[in-house]
């Protein structure tokens, strides 16, 4: 994922199968600053995520058609459910505070360069 206004790149994990999808970033005690997990939804939907097994807090960057639709920042490990308020096409999970540190805002364009399922 490329942040066009800064040129920064976020390397992402994408779930390869149902087991990887269920686990997500669960069990990781460290996530490098420039890494995240990217989920793709087609058609657009309002997905629900749990923080089960999470050892680090996250920011959820909800994306619709290549633009930041919403940001749920600083989600604690203890939170039961996280979801956007509208249908989205992708969600990017990154370290808590990432969105603020990189000045991401609703409406920002993101360039997603990922091969789904790889």
């Amino acid at each position: 994922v490329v942040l066009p206004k800064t040129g920064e790149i976020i390397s992402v994990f994408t779930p390869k199968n149902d087991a990887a999808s269920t686990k997500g970033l669960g069990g990781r005690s460290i996530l490098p600053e420039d890494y995240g997990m990217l989920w793709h939804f087609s058609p657009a939907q309002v997905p629900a995520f749990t923080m089960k097994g999470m050892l680090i807090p996250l920011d959820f960057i909800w994306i619709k058609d290549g633009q930041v639709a919403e940001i749920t920042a600083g989600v604690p490990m203890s939170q039961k459910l996280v979801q956007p308020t509208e249908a989205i096409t992708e969600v990017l999970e990154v370290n808590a505070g990432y969105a603020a540190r990189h000045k991401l805002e609703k409406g920002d364009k993101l360039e997603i360069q990922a091969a789904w399922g790889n």
Side-chain angles (χ1 to χ4, degrees):
V1 176
V2 179
L3 311 178
K5 73 180 182 182
T6 63
E8 294 171 84
I9 296 172
I10 303 169
S11 297
V12 296
F13 304 102
T14 57
K16 297 177 184 177
N17 54 43
D18 287 343
S21 185
T22 299
K23 183 175 180 182
L25 293 173
R28 291 178 180 268
S29 58
I30 297 172
L31 182 64
E33 176 68 11
D34 57 346
Y35 276 77
M37 187 154 204
L38 184 69
W39 309 80
H40 178 71
F41 302 97
S42 181
Q45 56 187 273
V46 180
F49 287 78
T50 66
M51 295 293 283
K52 181 179 178 184
M54 288 303 303
L55 304 175
I56 54 174
L58 297 173
D59 284 355
F60 284 73
I61 302 167
W62 309 103
I63 303 164
K64 185 171 185 180
D65 301 324
Q67 268 188 297
V68 175
E70 182 178 348
I71 298 169
T72 306
V75 177
M77 292 97 52
S78 60
Q79 187 158 332
K80 302 246 186 266
L81 188 66
V82 184
Q83 62 188 136
T85 58
E86 64 179 270
I88 51 97
T89 52
E90 289 90 21
V91 62
L92 175 61
E93 297 176 356
V94 290
N95 282 308
Y98 185 93
R101 285 190 298 277
H102 296 271
K103 298 178 176 41
L104 283 174
E105 300 174 322
K106 182 177 180 174
D108 283 352
K109 293 190 183 306
L110 301 177
E111 185 178 329
I112 299 171
Q113 302 173 351
W116 305 116
N118 287 343

